[in-house]
């Protein structure tokens, strides 16, 4: 077989290329140009007031603006020694539920399921099974609604600030979402059923899994950085365990552990490390569908997303029921010079920010490490591991299996442009 | 009463990619009377993904304003209909995630209904991170505002 080349990957957020160079039936070179590190933003943030950071970083990813806002807010709160109120914390978790719901529903049904069902795209899936796609869009829309009510209606959510929220969202509007959320919880359980009935390409990898871990809840905000090797670090210590390095064939920075290992962040890592903290219905679904952990097949991250979809619907219902805004929505900030780190679990995996600020709250230094930067060396290593299995397949199938592997990671290509492509026709 | 959505699409930090957002913003300032009508819904959209389907579910017609790359001169204003957008190729090799064209197609496939879509495109020159609008595009924004106003009156 010739080399495998995919100039533009479909169904990853943005546009990227994949190249697998073959020699005597073995992969000798793998290039994955899918990712642009947020260096521009790190520079752009310099000399801006800290309260602008959540809004600016929200633009790094159109799919997960909340993750960027949250990691930024926690890092800056850490720099100022601020602790947000328990109510604001609960609301942040609820907002994150909205983002997980939206992002996972999109990825499961519209981006990855077509691969597993042998469809070219979700359009083809919609033609054959319109109800499946309609339900998928409804699942996703409920996440959007949650974000809109909490985050405010704008290009991206604008209500998150350093210290909490600018204002409390409307209690009635949130409670009115409960019937939809209940519907979503059932539809999420059906999603687990679907996810476990699909046939996945075989690939088992001995990953080092890394995720935030919190003893009392499914790790999303706060807690420590846990590795499946047993390494436990606080968020402040993150950079002592995980190192970013420049690689030659792209702009991208690649991460590895301090022991020079590749590692995996994202849904598989979270589920494998944190399943004890899942809420009851999600835990029950693991049992009912006999899902054996740890899941080590990257394609099966779809199953992990489905379980998380159940968890976050379940948690959203709880948090909406308990929501009762009282007192100020944010803590008043006392500015001082300092440095702070923050990490939260974006739907795609751990997202780390570190900032230095001066006495006026102006940003002096910013460092942002997105999940895709950490997973890139892992994706490439997985492709090396996959190549012997696909080498004897017909070319189209081999290409598709490789593409599918990349898609199963749900890589985020930061802030790609979205201009329209025109069909130019002579008239 | 015809309900119309005016949707500006683009990335505000990406050079001319922001043209759609900027044009809708300035049209709103220039024509407050039209923009303030109850049947007119104005949206700004940084990621024109599947949420477009939700936006379009409440309206009878929509005007999308977006940056465009073809081979025309930068600043050229294009008026297009839905089927003039590059369609989703059957091979996945050049297909994107969920662009405007795919989303509109999915929408009509699922609902079996058509919303009157008018697309106003402006030819972009550059989409550099951190750059503002290029001169050619900046100069064309007033024309874009007039075109939006004209299109909306044709629909109302």
């Amino acid at each position: 077989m010739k080399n495998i080349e995919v100039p533009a990957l479909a169904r990853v957020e943005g546009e990227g290329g994949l190249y697998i160079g073959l020699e005597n039936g073995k992969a000798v070179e793998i290039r994955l140009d899918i990712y642009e590190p947020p260096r521009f933003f790190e520079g752009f943030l310099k000399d801006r007031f800290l309260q602008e950071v959540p809004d600016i970083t929200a633009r790094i990813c159109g799919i997960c603006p909340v993750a960027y806002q949250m990691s930024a807010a926690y890092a800056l709160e850490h720099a100022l020694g601020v602790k947000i109120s328990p109510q604001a914390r609960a609301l942040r978790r609820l907002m994150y539920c909205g983002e997980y719901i939206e992002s996972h529903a999109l990825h499961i049904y519209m981006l990855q399921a077509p691969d597993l069902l042998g469809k070219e795209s979700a359009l083809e899936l919609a033609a054959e099974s319109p109800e499946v796609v309609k339900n998928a869009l409804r699942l996703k829309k409920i996440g959007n609604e949650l974000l809109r009510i909490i985050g405010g209606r704008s290009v991206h959510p604008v209500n998150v600030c350093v210290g909490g929220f600018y204002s409390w969202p409307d209690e009635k509007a949130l409670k009115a979402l409960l019937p939809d959320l209940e519907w979503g919880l059932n539809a999420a359980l059906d999603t687990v059923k679907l996810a476990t009935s699909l046939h996945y390409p075989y690939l088992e990898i001995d990953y080092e899994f890394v995720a935030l871990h919190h003893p009392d809840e499914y790790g999303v905000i706060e807690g420590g950085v846990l590795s499946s090797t047993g390494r436990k670090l606080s968020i402040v210590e993150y950079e002592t365990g995980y190192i970013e390095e420049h690689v030659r064939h792209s702009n991208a920075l690649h991460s590895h552990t301090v022991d020079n290992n590749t590692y995996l962040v994202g849904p598989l890592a979270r589920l494998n490390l944190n399943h004890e903290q899942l809420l009851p219905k999600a835990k029950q679904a693991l049992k009912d569908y006999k899902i054996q952990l740890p899941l080590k097949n990257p394609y099966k991250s779809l199953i992990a997303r489905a379980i998380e979809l159940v968890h976050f619907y379940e948690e959203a219902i709880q948090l909406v029921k308990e929501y009762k805004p009282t007192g100020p929505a944010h803590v008043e900030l006392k500015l001082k010079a300092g440095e702070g780190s923050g990490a939260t679990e974006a739907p795609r995996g751990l997202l780390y920010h570190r900032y230095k600020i001066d006495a006026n709250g102006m940003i002096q230094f910013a460092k942002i490490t997105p999940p895709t930067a950490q997973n890139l060396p892992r994706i490439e290593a997985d492709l090396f591991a996959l190549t012997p299995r696909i080498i004897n397949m017909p070319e189209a199938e081999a290409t598709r299996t490789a593409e599918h592997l990349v898609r199963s990671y749900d890589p985020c290509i930061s802030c790609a442009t979205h201009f329209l492509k025109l069909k130019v026709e002579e008239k | 009463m015809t309900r119309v959505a005016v949707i500006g699409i683009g990335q505000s930090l990406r050079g001319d990619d922001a043209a759609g957002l900027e044009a809708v913003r300035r049209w709103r300032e220039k024509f407050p009377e039209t923009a303030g009508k109850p049947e007119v819904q104005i949206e700004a959209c940084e990621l024109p993904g599947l949420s477009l389907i939700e936006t379009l579910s409440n309206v009878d017609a929509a005007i999308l304003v977006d940056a465009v790359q073809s081979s025309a001169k930068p600043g050229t204003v294009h008026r297009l209909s839905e089927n003039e957008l590059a369609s989703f190729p059957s091979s996945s090799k050049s297909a994107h995630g969920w662009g405007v064209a795919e989303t509109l197609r999915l929408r009509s496939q699922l609902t079996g209904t058509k919303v009157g879509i008018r697309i106003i495109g402006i030819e972009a020159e550059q989409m550099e991170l951190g750059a503002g609008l290029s001169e050619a595009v900046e100069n064309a924004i007033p024309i874009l505002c007039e075109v939006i106003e004209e299109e909306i009156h044709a629909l109302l």
Side-chain angles (χ1 to χ4, degrees):
Chain A
M1 190 168 65
K2 294 182 304 182
N3 301 331
I4 295 173
E5 197 168 359
V6 187
L9 287 163
R11 282 179 275 138
V12 293
E13 292 306 332
E15 196 171 353
L18 164 65
Y19 173 83
I20 305 179
L22 299 173
E23 227 175 77
N24 303 324
K26 279 177 96 171
V28 288
E29 188 186 359
I30 285 177
R31 280 201 314 265
L32 189 59
D33 299 315
I34 55 167
Y35 168 76
E36 181 182 358
R39 280 207 205 107
F40 161 78
F41 286 90
E42 291 170 344
F44 191 69
L45 288 167
K46 196 165 179 309
D47 297 323
R48 286 176 188 271
F49 184 55
L50 57 86
Q51 211 53 285
E52 284 183 79
V53 179
D55 280 349
I56 293 172
T57 54
R59 294 171 185 185
I60 294 177
C61 176
I63 304 284
C64 49
V66 173
Y68 281 89
Q69 294 185 318
M70 296 287 180
S71 288
Y74 277 105
L76 291 162
E77 283 153 10
H78 177 235
L80 294 174
V82 163
K83 203 166 162 48
I84 63 169
S85 71
Q87 281 189 319
R89 188 185 189 281
L91 190 60
R92 282 192 180 170
R93 276 200 75 98
L94 180 58
M95 193 169 182
Y96 236 136
C97 290
E99 178 148 292
Y100 269 92
I101 290 170
E102 178 187 25
S103 176
H104 279 8
L106 173 74
H107 189 266
I108 292 170
Y109 284 99
M110 311 305 278
L111 303 177
Q112 200 186 349
D115 281 317
L116 292 161
L117 297 164
K119 305 282 181 259
E120 194 61 57
S121 74
L123 277 171
E124 205 182 309
L125 181 62
E128 277 173 36
S129 322
E131 285 315 309
V132 172
V133 176
K134 275 184 193 168
N135 282 342
L137 290 175
R138 186 171 171 202
L139 269 169
K140 181 182 174 300
K141 183 183 172 181
I142 297 167
N144 278 356
E145 278 297 299
L146 207 49
L147 285 182
R148 194 182 58 77
I149 296 168
I150 303 170
R153 196 190 186 95
S154 180
V155 180
H156 53 260
V158 289
N159 196 14
V160 176
C161 67
V162 182
F165 287 87
Y166 285 109
S167 64
W168 293 121
D170 182 35
E171 190 180 339
K172 271 198 196 124
L174 271 179
K175 301 238 148 110
L177 260 189
L178 277 171
D180 277 337
L181 289 169
E182 298 281 359
W183 176 89
L185 178 56
N186 282 322
L189 286 164
D190 290 342
T191 306
V192 179
K193 188 176 176 187
L194 172 76
T196 48
S197 72
L198 296 169
H199 179 71
Y200 296 84
Y202 179 80
L203 191 65
E204 292 272 312
I205 308 275
D206 261 321
Y207 291 110
E208 176 175 344
F209 296 109
V210 175
L212 282 189
H213 176 78
H214 193 291
D216 308 325
E217 59 188 25
Y218 196 71
V220 177
I221 53 176
E222 300 175 340
V225 183
L226 180 63
S227 155
S228 52
T229 61
R231 187 192 303 109
K232 279 184 198 164
L233 297 175
S234 68
I235 289 169
V236 180
E237 295 165 327
Y238 169 82
E239 287 178 65
T240 66
Y242 305 93
I243 295 148
E244 266 188 324
E245 233 162 31
H246 190 81
V247 274
R248 56 205 149 72
H249 67 249
S250 72
N251 287 327
L253 294 161
H254 277 192
S255 299
H256 57 80
T257 67
V258 70
D259 320 313
N260 218 10
N261 254 344
T262 55
Y263 62 100
L264 182 82
V265 299
L268 282 184
R270 279 191 303 262
L271 184 67
N272 289 333
L273 295 170
N274 297 330
H275 58 93
E276 293 288 342
Q277 284 75 30
L278 285 169
L279 289 174
K281 287 220 159 76
K283 233 183 223 172
Q284 190 60 41
L286 278 179
K287 274 199 200 123
D288 290 350
Y289 293 99
K290 300 187 175 57
I291 299 167
Q292 298 286 340
L293 299 182
L295 287 173
K296 292 180 172 181
N297 178 341
Y299 293 101
K300 291 189 176 173
S301 56
L302 186 136
I303 296 177
R305 286 191 185 90
I307 291 288
E308 288 193 337
L309 194 61
V310 174
H311 172 90
F312 287 107
Y313 261 108
E314 208 175 346
E315 184 169 351
I317 291 169
Q318 257 183 27
L319 291 169
V320 167
K321 282 184 179 161
E322 290 164 8
Y323 179 66
K324 192 124 196 75
T326 44
H330 55 87
V331 181
E332 289 306 323
L333 304 179
K334 285 198 189 81
L335 297 177
K336 60 171 188 180
E339 181 168 4
S341 309
T344 63
E345 280 288 333
R348 283 150 194 77
L350 192 140
L351 168 61
Y352 171 82
H353 289 214
R354 176 163 60 90
Y355 299 97
K356 281 184 194 163
I357 53 174
D358 70 11
N360 299 316
M362 306 304 275
I363 303 296
Q364 299 305 301
F365 169 85
K367 177 182 166 77
I368 299 170
T369 306
T372 300
Q374 300 172 78
N375 278 340
L376 265 185
R378 222 20 280 179
I379 308 179
E380 293 190 353
D382 283 6
L383 286 165
F384 269 109
L386 178 72
T387 306
R389 304 195 156 267
I390 60 174
I391 212 121
N392 296 319
M393 291 178 180
E395 193 182 342
E397 194 187 340
T399 304
R400 193 184 174 116
T401 310
E403 259 197 279
H404 179 188
L405 176 65
V406 178
R407 268 199 290 275
S408 69
Y409 271 85
D410 197 6
C412 168
I413 296 114
S414 58
C415 54
T417 51
H418 304 288
F419 57 86
L420 299 169
K421 290 222 171 77
L422 283 184
K423 194 162 63 178
V424 182
E425 275 175 333
E426 296 293 330
K427 281 183 188 162
Chain B
M1 189 169 77
T2 315
R3 298 160 307 166
V4 182
V6 182
I7 307 170
I9 297 172
Q11 256 278 359
S12 50
L13 297 173
R14 279 261 185 191
D16 292 338
D17 199 35
L21 293 175
E22 187 58 17
V24 170
R25 195 181 67 76
R26 285 203 234 163
W27 160 76
R28 191 179 192 166
E29 278 173 14
K30 204 168 166 187
F31 299 98
E33 201 180 311
T34 319
K37 287 188 176 176
E39 64 267 42
V40 176
Q41 181 187 337
I42 303 165
E43 301 281 339
C45 187
E46 255 183 2
L47 190 83
L50 295 162
S51 53
L52 260 185
I53 294 182
E54 292 152 36
T55 309
L56 296 177
S57 66
N58 306 318
V59 294
D60 309 298
I63 298 171
L64 309 183
V65 191
D66 198 357
V68 153
Q69 272 193 338
S70 66
S71 45
K73 225 173 84 204
T76 305
V77 176
H78 304 264
R79 297 195 200 203
L80 310 157
S81 66
E82 190 176 334
N83 49 22
E84 279 170 294
L85 287 181
S87 55
F88 204 92
S90 57
S91 142
S92 62
K93 290 207 167 176
S94 57
H96 266 233
W98 283 97
V100 174
E102 298 86 57
T103 303
L104 294 177
R105 247 183 77 183
L106 179 66
R107 192 202 157 276
S108 42
Q109 201 169 25
L110 286 177
T111 61
T113 62
K114 280 250 174 195
V115 166
I117 303 272
R118 295 295 300 162
I119 295 149
I120 306 173
I122 177 152
E123 190 73 27
E125 188 172 340
Q126 47 75 29
M127 306 213 179
E128 309 261 318
L129 259 175
L133 296 180
S134 54
E135 201 185 330
V137 170
E138 177 64 49
N139 291 341
I141 296 266
I143 307 165
L144 264 178
C145 292
E146 299 290 335
V147 173
I148 296 173
E149 184 67 8
E150 204 180 294
E151 291 279 0
I152 201 165
H153 280 290
L155 288 167
L156 286 177

